[in-house]
Amino acid sequence: MNVLIIILLFLALLLSRVTNLKTAVIILLGQSILVALACAIVAAETGAVHTYIAAALTLVIKAGLIPYALFRIVGMLRREREVNPILQPNYSAMVAGIMIVLAYGLTDKALPEIVSRDALAAAVAMMLIGLTMIMIRRQAVLQIVGLITMENGLYLVGLSVTQGLPLIIELGVVLDVMVAVVVLVILTYRLKRSFMSTDTSVLKKLKG
Amino acid sequence: MEQWIVLALVLPLATSLLNMAQLTEQAIRRLNLTGSCLVSLTLLVIVYQVAVNGNIQAGQFYVDALSAVLLLVIAILTCTATLFSLSYMKLEIVQGHASLKMLKRYYILLNLFVFTMVCVPVVENMGLLWVAIEATTLSSALLVAFYFDRPALEAAWKYVMVCTVGICLALLGTILLYYAQVSADIGGGQALSWQALKAASGRLDPGMVKLAFVFILIGYGTKAGLAPMHTWLPDAHSQAPSPVSGFLSGALLSCALYAIIRTSIIVKGAVGPAFTEQFLTGFGLLSIVIAVPFILVQHDLKRLLAYSSIEHMGLITLGLGIGTPLAMYGALLHVINHAITKSALFYLAGAVIQHYGTKNILRIRGLVGAAPVMGALFVAAVLAIAGLPPFSIFYSKLTIVWAAFQSGSAWLGVIILLLMAAIFAGMIYYTLKLGFASAPRRVAASGYRPGKPAMAAIVVSLVLMAGGGIYLPAWLDTLITRAVAIMTGGGL
């Protein structure tokens, strides 16, 4: 489990530097597989059948359907990549580092006696890194990747504090995430068609 | 009893699916009118059952007086929104903004949206409540982006991003609540069951519940358009087709508030009312304050109404924050009143915009002269939303302000009255310009009249409001009183 957490944190750090859309989606794919694996490990520890189902579900949707949809849209946006990021990669990696420290601090403060402290802190760090990605990246696809990273982090939080939510809720959450990605991919596709770009910094006409 | 709930969920889905069949324009209209009337009737039956026979409980379904208030709102708005859509979309097709394919897509999404909104008040479980609320965002996102032009895309992108991030925080709060439940060993298999949590709220870890509440309030507060998380709201409401704007403003925001109310009942049980009240009062007041300057200096008709929605959500939250039974009564009554009036106003705005071909308030002049019936209705609707008697909103606003004075925070009452006065002045100023100057010649000559269904939707809404101001039916009074009892921690 600890190795898993280290790799997950490493991938999150890597994500904060990536400017190529395809690479970002590949990293996201790896991240989702690891999250499903973490879920399977918890399932093996607790022996609960419904956790195995949740792991399988995560694998199918987050490591299957969502990356598939993202790869398709990235294939369509061949020449797009993150240019003129709000923060240069070095700074953005530094922000991610700060987020990891912050996550450990917050976890120790809010839940001092929790058993799976490292897993929880890593999960919170993933959430925060996902959130910063949404805020400091301009490429639509990278924002979607940030959103899924945040979601994955949230999923790990649930896993590390309560061994996951009940199956029916888990089912609903995963379904919602999938629909969210579909909606966002449709919007990205339309952005490309009407703005000739998926750089969301063009979206600033509505004000006041 | 529970079969009615299942019916209320199946009907909109079925209507949505039927729209996919090969249909003519005429058939689509008939189908959706029938579908939405049936949905409304079913919802009203549920509300009636709850008012007469008490709560409905079956599996994951649970409807009490509080849910019934929201179901009432959804029932009325489903019907009026579809009625208005009939005329609105017809004209959109005539004016060339939409095609038959888009019409189908519109109704498919609209019915899905109704389905997700009905889900919100009928589920019993905090986790499923989260799922339902996120589903409302997703089903309405493509409605906001309906025209797929640049501003619509921008609005929809912000809408999905801001609301999804916000709602992720609410999920975090829900997980923390679950953690509190698991550590206190409450309710056995009933994970996140609202009733189990409420019944045993005294045993939850107070620190954890407080943390959970903050996340949940920020998350659902984003969805409810509370400042400073309201940034998506004016964009989304101004870009969506008008019937959808009315729906978003009236029902969707109320759904998010409903989630906040449900959570705060548990939190009150665990840590006492003072903790939730300070947050609710703070966010409520901030929302009203932030809405004022945008209402006073606004050029876009639909954005004006959107900011007015932020103001009203703030007022309701403030009512919840004051926390006396009287204030909560006022807040719930205001939820109903605001939903009906604001949706009517958005429908009217839609008709006006179609007529004048612009959203710019400064270019819309002489409405009363150019289209007398519509102009008169518009003025009446603005007076209603601004809180003039005999319209029912006057009474719910009065109740909230009265409760503020009564609960000992007179300064709060004075601030609300001053802000209301400023907003009233702003709304009336624009309405006078919009209604009574001389109309552009092109518009004046057109002799425009919106379709009969559209007029019916608006007239019904306004009659309900005027009637509600003069006479509040006893069953509704009982229903709200019971809902208030639930909110103050009394009978389940």
Side-chain angles (χ1 to χ4, degrees):
Chain A
M1 193 72 170
N2 271 332
V3 180
L4 214 68
I5 290 165
I6 294 168
I7 301 176
L8 273 173
L9 271 184
F10 172 71
L11 287 185
L13 266 177
L14 210 59
L15 264 185
S16 66
R17 294 189 62 91
V18 169
T19 53
N20 187 326
L21 304 186
K22 200 167 177 191
T23 325
V25 181
I26 293 173
I27 297 175
L28 185 74
L29 175 64
Q31 192 191 67
S32 295
I33 293 175
L34 289 178
V35 169
L37 203 61
C39 189
I41 293 175
V42 171
E45 278 171 3
T46 56
V49 181
H50 76 85
T51 320
Y52 278 114
I53 303 177
L57 209 67
T58 313
L59 196 67
V60 171
I61 290 182
K62 282 195 191 153
L65 295 173
I66 290 177
Y68 170 73
L70 287 177
F71 274 127
R72 277 202 55 181
I73 191 86
V74 169
M76 238 175 282
L77 315 171
R78 213 156 281 141
R79 255 166 286 157
E80 298 267 339
R81 58 183 288 129
E82 180 90 354
V83 283
N84 307 323
I86 299 175
L87 281 181
Q88 292 302 315
N90 283 337
Y91 290 110
S92 122
M94 199 173 78
V95 170
I98 295 172
M99 289 302 158
I100 294 176
V101 176
L102 206 66
Y104 270 87
L106 284 178
T107 316
D108 282 347
K109 191 136 175 66
L111 290 162
E113 73 283 20
I114 191 99
V115 195
S116 48
R117 173 216 182 216
D118 288 315
L120 181 61
V124 175
M126 268 173 76
M127 272 189 67
L128 291 174
I129 291 173
L131 188 62
T132 41
M133 263 186 90
I134 297 172
M135 292 191 299
I136 65 178
R137 296 310 187 96
R138 291 178 165 160
Q139 273 295 331
V141 174
L142 288 177
Q143 286 189 358
I144 301 176
V145 170
L147 193 66
I148 307 290
T149 307
M150 198 174 160
E151 233 295 315
N152 277 340
L154 202 55
Y155 186 79
L156 281 178
V157 170
L159 212 56
S160 52
V161 297
T162 58
Q163 269 94 48
L165 290 166
L167 186 62
I168 178 158
I169 300 173
E170 205 79 85
L171 197 76
V173 172
V174 172
L175 213 65
D176 271 347
V177 174
M178 190 180 77
V179 178
V181 171
V182 170
V183 168
L184 285 171
V185 164
I186 294 174
L187 290 179
T188 311
Y189 171 70
R190 291 290 180 157
L191 280 180
K192 177 74 180 171
R193 269 193 30 184
S194 37
F195 291 90
M196 314 313 270
S197 145
T198 55
D199 194 324
T200 54
S201 54
V202 292
L203 302 178
K204 54 186 170 196
K205 269 203 76 185
L206 297 176
K207 271 192 195 128
Chain B
M1 299 260 261
E2 65 268 21
Q3 56 268 39
W4 288 105
I5 300 179
V6 176
L7 191 63
L9 293 173
V10 170
L11 273 173
L13 277 184
T15 318
S16 180
L17 285 177
L18 281 176
N19 273 306
M20 289 179 193
Q22 295 290 333
L23 291 172
T24 59
E25 235 182 280
Q26 188 68 29
I28 290 179
R29 268 186 217 119
R30 282 209 193 106
L31 168 69
N32 287 289
L33 186 60
T34 327
S36 72
C37 285
L38 286 177
V39 173
S40 293
L41 276 179
T42 318
L43 291 177
L44 288 176
V45 169
I46 298 174
V47 174
Y48 175 77
Q49 301 259 19
V50 172
V52 176
N53 299 335
N55 303 349
I56 304 176
Q57 162 100 56
Q60 295 288 349
F61 296 130
Y62 175 71
V63 182
D64 60 9
L66 185 54
S67 334
V69 170
L70 198 63
L71 283 175
L72 182 67
V73 167
I74 299 172
I76 296 171
L77 259 58
T78 304
C79 197
T80 56
T82 311
L83 265 177
F84 184 73
S85 294
L86 300 182
S87 319
Y88 181 83
M89 292 312 286
K90 193 174 186 177
L91 199 59
E92 287 295 285
I93 289 182
V94 172
Q95 291 185 345
H97 299 304
S99 61
L100 184 62
K101 209 175 130 203
M102 283 168 83
L103 187 71
K104 276 187 195 180
R105 193 176 75 213
Y106 174 80
Y107 281 115
I108 290 171
L109 288 169
L110 190 68
N111 283 297
L112 277 180
F113 188 32
V114 172
F115 165 73
T116 54
M117 262 189 314
V118 174
C119 284
V120 172
V122 301
V123 294
E124 192 261 346
N125 180 301
M126 295 302 293
L128 291 179
L129 179 64
W130 184 90
V131 173
I133 297 238
E134 168 70 356
T136 56
T137 311
L138 302 173
S139 56
S140 53
L142 290 181
L143 281 173
V144 171
F146 181 68
Y147 296 111
F148 283 131
D149 52 7
R150 290 183 171 200
L153 278 173
E154 177 179 347
W157 186 264
K158 283 185 190 164
Y159 176 42
V160 180
M161 272 298 168
V162 174
C163 282
T164 308
V165 168
I167 216 114
C168 272
L169 296 180
L171 182 58
L172 182 61
T174 310
I175 291 173
L176 292 176
L177 202 60
Y178 184 45
Y179 176 65
Q181 187 190 13
V182 171
S183 4
D185 202 17
I186 293 164
Q190 299 166 290
L192 283 172
S193 149
W194 183 76
Q195 288 175 89
L197 278 170
K198 189 193 169 198
S201 56
R203 287 194 282 132
L204 295 169
D205 172 22
M208 192 51 59
V209 172
K210 280 182 185 172
L211 192 63
F213 179 72
V214 172
F215 279 117
I216 291 181
L217 180 62
I218 293 177
Y220 292 140
T222 309
K223 200 71 205 291
L226 296 181
M229 298 88 74
H230 67 283
T231 46
W232 62 274
L233 195 150
D235 297 347
H237 286 216
S238 63
Q239 293 307 322
S242 279
V244 178
S245 306
F247 227 144
L248 287 172
S249 231
L252 182 87
L253 302 184
S254 311
C255 280
L257 274 180
Y258 166 83
I260 294 177
I261 296 175
R262 279 276 179 220
T263 319
S264 55
I265 296 172
I266 299 171
V267 179
K268 269 183 202 167
V271 298
F275 180 75
T276 54
E277 282 168 7
Q278 65 190 32
F279 278 100
L280 292 172
T281 313
F283 275 118
L285 202 56
L286 186 64
S287 305
I288 305 180
V289 171
I290 282 191
V292 172
F294 289 100
I295 288 179
L296 294 181
V297 195
Q298 187 55 257
H299 295 311
D300 184 319
L301 182 56
K302 283 176 86 182
R303 286 184 89 86
L304 179 73
L305 299 180
Y307 278 108
S308 158
S309 284
I310 297 176
E311 174 232 328
H312 283 273
M313 286 302 123
L315 188 63
I316 295 167
T317 315
L318 197 64
L320 298 173
I322 293 169
T324 57
L326 185 66
M328 289 185 179
Y329 187 96
L332 281 186
L333 190 59
H334 201 70
V335 167
I336 303 175
N337 289 341
H338 169 254
I340 298 175
T341 317
K342 186 52 71 61
S343 57
L345 207 47
F346 264 116
Y347 303 156
L348 274 165
V352 171
I353 290 165
Q354 277 184 331
H355 185 26
Y356 282 77
T358 172
K359 288 181 186 173
N360 192 328
I361 298 178
L362 302 177
R363 276 196 256 152
I364 302 174
R365 278 176 285 113
L367 182 63
V368 174
V373 182
M374 203 162 73
L377 286 174
F378 192 91
V379 174
V382 170
L383 292 179
I385 201 84
L388 236 63
F391 294 103
S392 188
I393 276 203
F394 169 71
Y395 296 100
S396 48
K397 273 188 177 173
L398 184 70
T399 312
I400 294 175
V401 176
W402 183 7
F405 280 109
Q406 204 189 41
S407 73
S409 36
W411 58 271
L412 197 59
V414 172
I415 294 177
I416 304 174
L417 283 177
L418 285 176
L419 292 170
M420 291 298 136
I423 289 167
F424 183 82
M427 298 286 275
I428 297 298
Y429 172 72
Y430 286 120
T431 310
L432 289 181
K433 277 201 159 174
L434 192 149
F436 295 109
S438 58
R441 196 170 298 146
R442 169 184 60 85
V443 175
S446 71
Y448 169 83
R449 309 180 63 151
K452 283 203 183 76
M455 292 313 267
I458 295 161
V459 170
V460 164
S461 305
L462 286 178
V463 166
L464 280 178
M465 278 298 92
I470 295 160
Y471 167 69
L472 190 68
W475 60 269
L476 186 58
D477 180 56
T478 325
L479 200 66
I480 299 180
T481 314
R482 269 173 54 203
V484 169
I486 296 169
M487 286 158 69
T488 48
L492 270 170

